[in-house]
Amino acid sequence: GETVQPPPEDMATEDGNVVPPHARMGVGASSAAKKQVGEMESVNAAPKMAFVKSKAQEVEETDAEKLQDEQDLLPSAFGQRIKKAAAEKQKLEREEKAAKKAGTAKAAAELRTSHNIGGFEAHTKGIGAKLLAMMGFKGKLGKNETGRVQALDVALRPRNSGLGACNVDLQQRKKKDAKDAEQPEEEEEEKVVGPAPKMWKKRNKERRLQREYKTAEDLLNEGETKQAHPVQSTIIDMRGPQARVVTNMENLNALQDEDEKENPTPMPELQHNIRLIVDLAEAKIKKLDNQIHVEKDNAVVLGREQQRLRDEVELRAAQVSRVQKLLVAVMECRDRVQNDPQGVSLQYLQELYGDLQQQFKEEYIMYSLPAIALSQAHKFIALHFSGWVPLQNPTYGTEVAAAWRGLLENEQAANAIYPEMEAESDAYMRLLSECVLPHIRTHLLNQWEPRNPEPALALLEAWEGLLPGHVRTTLLEQLVLPKLQQAVDGWDPRQETIAIHSWLHPWLPLLGNSMEPLYPTIRYRLNSCLQQWHPSDASALALLGPWQNVFNRNDWDLMLSRSIVPKLQWAMQELVINPQHQVLDQFNWLMAWQHAISPQHIVTILETTFFPKFQQVLYQWLLSNPNYEEVTHWYLGWKGLFPENFLAHERVRHGFNLALDMMNQALGGVVTEPAPPPSQDPIYAAHSIHPHPTSQPEWQKDLSFKELVEQFAAQNDIPFIPKAGRVHEGIQVFGFGAVSVVLDQTHQVLRAQLGDRWAPVSLEQVLIESRNRTAARG
């Protein structure tokens, strides 16, 4: 029943709570101010002790203590601002709750929305209400008073929207307002109004939010679940008023949302710093975990490397032991060869190094034991081949060479792209070059006769599998081919008793196209020999026939067209067709060359020489009223002399068909004289010669300048051969005996190389110069 006197105004806060004066004093207050406050407390202490403390007083005292705690906790200006904002919010909540208790829900709604419909008439004469009453308005619209009571809401519609576009939002708003108006007033328990409790106080231990702490293992397990290999990164967030460092991408948007929300919790800077420290700690934990994983991996790798090194040490120890054994065997063999050469044989060395090759395959190649073996066996092998005559005994020493080839040959050098470059490092090649090849070279150069190819062929055949390919090629190109070239240069078909193909063709499988430089000389000598040839001489066919498949087709046809075809054409011109007594020698001479000469040439000869005579004789015979059976028999006899391939030729069939038509015309009583023979082809007209001319033939007037020089050289037995690869001013250089010449076809001039200059010469001058040089060399 006692009245409690309120505290002085300077002791009260804005929300009515009593605050002790000493709580208002800051940490930096002066001692005088504190003394004054203490005096005020002593003055007011006596009356307060006389009062009976009610429940409200106890609440106020508790609030004062809490406020004192807040002031002690937040003495700075920033803390005062936080405290003031929290007080204003609490005051607003108290006013709202008081309004709910004092009035109705309508008053509370008016307090929240501050809408007072019709309230403006309090300041007017109420003309609006009077007019509505005169019209019969009794509080609600409508005839039956079922209309709306509230005024129309004014709401701003979005731009360019229709009338019904925002009706849904307006209806929802109306339903919410009606629900709030009809909601009954809720009874709330009386709560003590005051600042938020201090959860850090010991007395609020049970009310605190229970926090769960993560261990480093939990953090790492979560990281493994989200990302197998997390990537640590530092990001600077520039979206807010201040830049901040973000170390965790997962909290990037969460931090922005928390900043945008109203956070009543005091000291957000401190919470931000704490959160940053936590993120840095998490990043450091993850970094350390990654380092641990890296170190573990390094430990595994180092363990494997350690095991590999151990294995390698064991392998090297085994290799050293093998090398020591190999060295002992080689040293013993060397000492025996040096100290007791008479007791060492080639067979002993062969067996010793054969065993070493089988036992130490890798070391045998790695440490060049073939070279050591050759150094110890060289004098024994050289002694074995010292008296060898390759051309007489070609198979001698092949067994020794085959045995030592497996011990000395380097497979890498043998299979190299350019084996001649690896010959110096190959012990087997050294053996051949020092012990075998010198004997072969000496006998091929000095004792071998090219016209007797059998000994050299037998030698190369016996050593075919023992001589490397490049060695055989070198022997053939540097020893055999020059000897053959020398023999061909001295070959004269008119004096030789052995056909040239008999000693050249055996070398074709070995030399092949390498013999091409020999062919121009051979063709030239054959052409020279055939200048005085007569078609009745069958030796020319035997001499030329083997070369048909050796010479190039064009060169072969050109040689025959110059030397053989003109002679055969002349012989066919001498053929006399006599049904009473027929001589077939000229025709048989021509048919003997049917496989060597192109069918085109033979058909041309028949068309120009045989068929005109044959048809003319038949025409004269048919005019004398002959026996047609004899004529038919004579016709079939000539036709039977022609081979089938010639009878199938169109021009040959045409010649016989003309004769057959004449026979058919004779049966009718009318015979047409055959047409004159066709003109000769220039090639046959130019080369039509008499076998024994008494003067210069007429055909020589149509020869080319080159052909005249060739004929002049052939008549004087001088070789006229083109020199491969040599030209002068773009013109091919020819060898006229020992003189180099060029043929100027434009000016029809023969130029010879006389010293350092090329001078025009006549045929007689170049002949004399060639003979003089040949005599000087001989």
Side-chain angles (χ1 to χ4, degrees):
E2 295 181 359
T3 303
V4 180
Q5 186 178 356
E9 295 180 359
D10 57 352
M11 302 294 290
T13 60
E14 294 180 358
D15 56 355
N17 295 329
V18 179
V19 179
H22 67 272
R24 300 172 57 87
M25 304 302 293
V27 176
S30 63
S31 60
K34 291 182 179 180
K35 182 178 181 181
Q36 184 179 357
V37 173
E39 291 176 356
M40 291 176 63
E41 290 179 351
S42 63
V43 172
N44 297 327
K48 287 182 179 180
M49 296 300 294
F51 297 151
V52 178
K53 294 183 180 181
S54 63
K55 183 177 181 180
Q57 289 176 337
E58 293 177 356
V59 171
E60 290 178 357
E61 289 178 0
T62 304
D63 294 339
E65 291 178 0
K66 296 179 179 180
L67 182 60
Q68 179 64 29
D69 294 337
E70 292 179 355
Q71 290 177 348
D72 293 341
L73 182 62
L74 305 172
S76 63
F78 179 70
Q80 294 297 331
R81 288 199 302 271
I82 295 175
K83 173 178 173 258
K84 184 178 179 180
E88 289 179 356
K89 184 175 180 181
Q90 292 173 359
K91 181 179 179 181
L92 181 60
E93 291 177 354
R94 288 197 301 272
E95 290 179 357
E96 185 176 357
K97 292 178 180 179
K100 287 182 179 180
K101 292 179 180 180
T104 61
K106 180 178 181 181
E110 290 179 357
L111 181 60
R112 288 194 305 271
T113 60
S114 67
H115 290 169
N116 189 8
I117 301 175
F120 62 87
E121 288 191 351
H123 307 284
T124 63
K125 295 180 180 182
I127 185 61
K130 293 179 181 179
L131 292 175
L132 290 174
M134 291 174 62
M135 297 178 185
F137 178 71
K138 296 181 181 180
K140 292 185 179 181
L141 297 178
K143 181 178 180 180
N144 298 325
E145 298 182 359
T146 59
R148 65 184 297 160
V149 178
Q150 299 178 354
L152 296 176
D153 291 335
V154 179
L156 181 62
R157 298 177 181 272
R159 186 176 181 182
N160 297 331
S161 64
L163 294 177
C166 299
N167 290 341
V168 177
D169 295 339
L170 294 176
Q171 292 176 4
Q172 292 179 356
R173 189 186 307 172
K174 292 176 183 179
K175 291 180 180 179
K176 182 177 181 182
D177 293 341
K179 184 177 181 181
D180 293 342
E182 296 175 359
Q183 183 177 2
E185 182 179 359
E186 297 180 357
E187 296 294 338
E188 297 183 358
E189 297 180 357
E190 293 184 358
K191 295 182 180 179
V192 179
V193 179
K198 301 299 181 293
M199 305 306 298
W200 56 273
K201 290 288 187 178
K202 185 175 182 180
R203 61 174 175 266
N204 297 325
K205 179 178 180 181
E206 296 180 355
R207 298 173 59 186
R208 295 175 191 167
L209 179 62
Q210 298 297 327
R211 300 183 181 275
E212 296 180 358
Y213 296 95
K214 293 181 181 179
T215 63
E217 296 180 357
D218 297 337
L219 179 63
L220 295 177
N221 292 334
E222 291 180 359
E224 292 179 356
T225 304
K226 295 180 180 179
Q227 185 176 1
H229 299 283
V231 180
Q232 299 296 335
S233 60
T234 302
I235 300 175
I236 300 178
D237 188 2
M238 305 292 292
R239 297 180 295 176
Q242 295 181 352
R244 57 181 179 178
V245 179
V246 179
T247 58
N248 191 349
M249 293 292 295
E250 299 175 359
N251 300 330
L252 180 63
N253 295 327
L255 294 174
Q256 182 69 15
D257 296 341
E258 290 180 3
D259 292 344
E260 294 176 356
K261 295 179 181 180
E262 181 179 2
N263 187 8
T265 305
M267 292 179 290
E269 292 88 348
L270 180 59
Q271 295 188 13
H272 168 73
N273 293 337
I274 294 174
R275 188 182 303 111
L276 183 59
I277 292 173
V278 172
D279 292 342
L280 292 175
E282 291 180 356
K284 187 174 182 180
I285 291 173
K286 294 179 180 179
K287 181 179 179 181
L288 293 175
D289 181 67
N290 292 335
Q291 292 179 355
I292 292 173
H293 284 294
V294 171
E295 295 300 331
K296 290 181 179 179
D297 294 340
N298 291 338
V300 174
V301 173
L302 292 176
R304 295 176 180 174
E305 182 67 15
Q306 182 182 14
Q307 183 63 34
R308 186 188 68 81
L309 293 176
R310 289 176 180 174
D311 296 340
E312 186 173 358
V313 168
E314 294 178 359
L315 177 62
R316 296 302 180 188
Q319 291 179 350
V320 169
S321 177
R322 291 171 59 87
V323 171
Q324 290 178 350
K325 295 179 181 179
L326 181 62
L327 180 61
V328 170
V330 173
M331 296 298 292
E332 290 179 356
C333 180
R334 185 198 65 177
D335 296 340
R336 185 172 180 180
V337 170
Q338 292 178 354
N339 300 330
D340 186 17
Q342 300 298 331
V344 179
S345 64
L346 192 60
Q347 183 67 23
Y348 166 75
L349 294 176
Q350 177 181 336
E351 294 177 356
L352 174 63
Y353 281 96
D355 295 338
L356 294 179
Q357 185 182 31
Q358 293 295 330
Q359 296 177 10
F360 309 95
K361 293 183 179 180
E362 296 181 358
E363 291 81 2
Y364 193 86
I365 302 299
M366 184 183 303
Y367 299 105
S368 301
L369 256 69
I372 299 175
L374 178 62
S375 64
Q376 296 179 0
H378 182 274
K379 62 180 180 180
F380 299 98
I381 298 176
L383 182 62
H384 182 76
F385 284 96
S386 60
W388 180 39
V389 180
L391 297 179
Q392 296 179 4
N393 190 5
T395 60
Y396 179 81
T398 54
E399 295 181 357
V400 175
W404 282 93
R405 181 178 187 178
L407 299 176
L408 303 179
E409 187 176 27
N410 187 355
E411 295 182 0
Q412 182 177 0
N415 298 327
I417 299 177
Y418 301 102
E420 60 274 6
M421 301 178 64
E422 304 289 341
E424 297 181 358
S425 61
D426 189 7
Y428 180 67
M429 279 301 305
R430 289 176 53 195
L431 170 65
L432 293 177
S433 61
E434 296 176 3
C435 300
V436 178
L437 294 180
H439 299 280
I440 296 177
R441 292 193 186 97
T442 302
H443 287 79
L444 286 179
L445 288 175
N446 301 328
Q447 299 183 11
W448 175 56
E449 172 58 39
R451 289 174 175 79
N452 183 20
E454 296 301 328
L457 290 173
L459 175 63
L460 294 177
E461 183 179 358
W463 287 83
E464 180 179 3
L466 300 175
L467 297 179
H470 67 280
V471 175
R472 294 180 68 251
T473 303
T474 302
L475 292 176
L476 291 171
E477 294 182 354
Q478 297 183 4
L479 299 178
V480 176
L481 189 59
K483 293 278 288 187
L484 294 178
Q485 180 70 56
Q486 184 180 2
V488 170
D489 293 340
W491 172 64
D492 187 356
R494 291 170 294 187
Q495 298 178 2
E496 292 284 345
T497 58
I498 302 175
I500 189 173
H501 65 269
S502 63
W503 50 273
L504 279 183
H505 286 187
W507 293 103
L508 286 175
L510 298 177
L511 292 172
N513 295 331
S514 299
M515 297 181 65
E516 288 286 344
L518 305 178
Y519 299 155
T521 303
I522 296 173
R523 288 194 294 268
Y524 169 76
R525 296 296 173 84
L526 292 175
N527 285 329
S528 301
C529 178
L530 294 173
Q531 291 292 330
Q532 305 299 326
W533 172 73
H534 191 273
S536 61
D537 187 1
S539 61
L541 181 60
L543 181 65
L544 296 178
W547 295 97
Q548 182 176 0
N549 296 326
V550 177
F551 290 158
N552 181 273
R553 185 65 184 176
N554 294 332
D555 296 336
W556 173 257
D557 290 342
L558 181 60
M559 182 182 67
L560 294 185
S561 64
R562 288 182 177 181
S563 304
I564 303 300
V565 173
K567 302 286 184 70
L568 294 176
Q569 185 180 21
W570 169 83
M572 288 299 295
Q573 289 176 353
E574 299 295 327
L575 176 65
V576 177
I577 299 179
N578 184 4
Q580 300 296 331
H581 181 71
Q582 184 64 56
V583 178
L584 299 176
D585 292 342
Q586 294 84 353
F587 183 80
N588 293 331
W589 298 342
L590 177 63
M591 289 296 108
W593 290 87
Q594 61 176 318
H595 299 293
I597 301 177
S598 172
Q600 187 72 18
H601 292 314
I602 295 180
V603 170
T604 302
I605 294 175
L606 293 173
E607 189 178 28
T608 57
T609 59
F610 171 75
F611 282 109
K613 295 180 181 180
F614 179 77
Q615 296 169 1
Q616 189 65 30
V617 170
L618 179 62
Y619 174 72
Q620 296 295 335
W621 194 2
L622 293 175
L623 291 179
S624 62
N625 193 16
N627 184 352
Y628 288 103
E629 291 183 1
E630 294 181 358
V631 173
T632 303
H633 181 73
W634 175 78
Y635 169 82
L636 295 176
W638 272 108
K639 191 174 182 179
L641 296 176
F642 283 78
E644 293 294 334
N645 58 328
F646 287 101
L647 291 176
H649 199 281
E650 181 180 0
R651 291 158 63 184
V652 175
R653 290 202 313 269
H654 177 69
F656 281 109
N657 289 337
L658 289 178
L660 187 61
D661 292 339
M662 293 172 60
M663 294 169 61
N664 294 330
Q665 292 175 3
L667 294 176
V670 179
V671 181
T672 303
E673 186 177 1
S679 60
Q680 282 186 326
D681 191 276
I683 185 174
Y684 305 102
H687 295 80
S688 298
I689 61 172
H690 194 276
H692 303 286
T694 57
S695 62
Q696 183 180 15
E698 190 70 20
W699 63 272
Q700 290 186 357
K701 299 179 182 179
D702 299 328
L703 287 177
S704 64
F705 181 59
K706 179 181 178 182
E707 292 172 343
L708 289 173
V709 176
E710 289 179 345
Q711 181 183 1
F712 179 79
Q715 291 175 357
N716 292 276
D717 197 17
I718 300 296
F720 183 73
I721 303 171
K723 294 186 176 181
R726 286 197 58 188
V727 293
H728 174 67
E729 296 180 354
I731 304 176
Q732 175 66 48
V733 177
F734 291 83
F736 190 93
V739 182
S740 298
V741 299
V742 294
L743 304 178
D744 189 352
Q745 300 284 357
T746 305
H747 302 91
Q748 298 291 310
V749 175
L750 179 67
R751 300 179 185 274
Q753 185 179 14
L754 304 176
D756 297 336
R757 62 188 182 89
W758 291 81
V761 293
S762 64
L763 292 176
E764 297 295 335
Q765 290 176 341
V766 72
L767 177 62
I768 296 173
E769 181 68 20
S770 175
R771 289 177 177 175
N772 292 337
R773 292 185 181 182
T774 304
R777 292 177 182 178

